[in-house]
């Protein structure tokens, strides 16, 4: 799917947004391996200058997540500030220990501010067939 297609799919008044609202009581539309929500997807694509016909493949997802993480991390100077910044961007980091998140931040920063080929904290993919 393209960024434009995902933006339409994740519209707050759309089927997905309303389905999630029925499940969790609010509109949230996480998508892709880094769980980027619709509003953030649209805003990040615009900030990065990505056209709407950009395919939201693994490379695009990693690039967008790297951009988001970099923006958050450069707004903080202390380890606690960096953790707070990432937890403000990704809901799932609220369930990660400080030590584990510090390690992930260090790995991200040491890797040239690029996301790994899988979501941070996710187990390695099997070598079996992929769907």
């Amino acid at each position: 799917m393209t960024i434009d297609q995902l933006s339409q799919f994740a519209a707050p008044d759309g089927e997905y947004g309303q389905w999630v609202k029925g499940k969790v009581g609010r509109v949230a539309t996480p998508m892709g391996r880094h769980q980027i929500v619709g509003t953030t997807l649209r805003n990040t694509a615009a900030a990065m200058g990505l056209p709407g016909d950009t395919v939201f493949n693994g490379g695009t997802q990693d690039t967008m997540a790297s951009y988001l993480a970099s923006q958050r991390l450069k707004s903080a100077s202390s380890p606690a500030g960096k953790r707070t910044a990432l937890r403000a961007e990704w809901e799932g980091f609220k369930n990660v220990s400080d030590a584990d998140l510090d390690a992930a931040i260090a790995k991200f920063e040491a890797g040239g501010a690029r996301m790994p080929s899988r979501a941070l904290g996710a187990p390695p993919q099997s070598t079996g067939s992929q769907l």
Side-chain angles (χ1 to χ4, degrees):
M1 293 181 87
T2 65
I3 290 173
D4 278 348
Q5 290 169 324
L6 284 170
S7 293
Q8 183 177 5
F9 172 74
D13 59 348
E15 187 175 341
Y16 179 46
Q18 291 302 301
W19 178 83
V20 173
K21 184 177 181 180
K23 295 288 184 187
V24 300
R26 63 183 170 86
V27 175
T29 55
M31 298 173 288
R33 68 171 144 218
H34 301 291
Q35 298 293 278
I36 298 172
V37 297
T39 302
T40 302
L41 175 79
R42 288 186 291 278
N43 293 342
T44 303
M48 295 177 67
L50 298 176
D53 62 354
T54 301
V55 176
F56 194 60
N57 59 20
T60 300
Q61 292 175 48
D62 291 347
T63 299
M64 292 180 84
S66 294
Y67 175 85
L68 288 168
S70 293
Q71 294 300 304
R72 289 290 185 162
L73 291 173
K74 76 179 184 180
S75 72
S77 58
S78 69
K82 291 178 180 187
R83 289 190 302 269
T84 298
L86 287 184
R87 287 176 173 144
E89 187 67 54
W90 281 282
E91 186 76 20
F93 284 146
K94 293 176 182 174
N95 301 314
V96 175
S97 72
D98 288 353
D100 286 344
L101 190 50
D102 286 345
I105 291 167
K107 185 175 181 179
F108 176 77
E109 291 177 331
R114 295 285 309 153
M115 284 291 167
S117 61
R118 59 187 169 84
L120 290 174
Q125 293 184 354
S126 71
T127 56
S129 65
Q130 300 290 319
L131 294 177

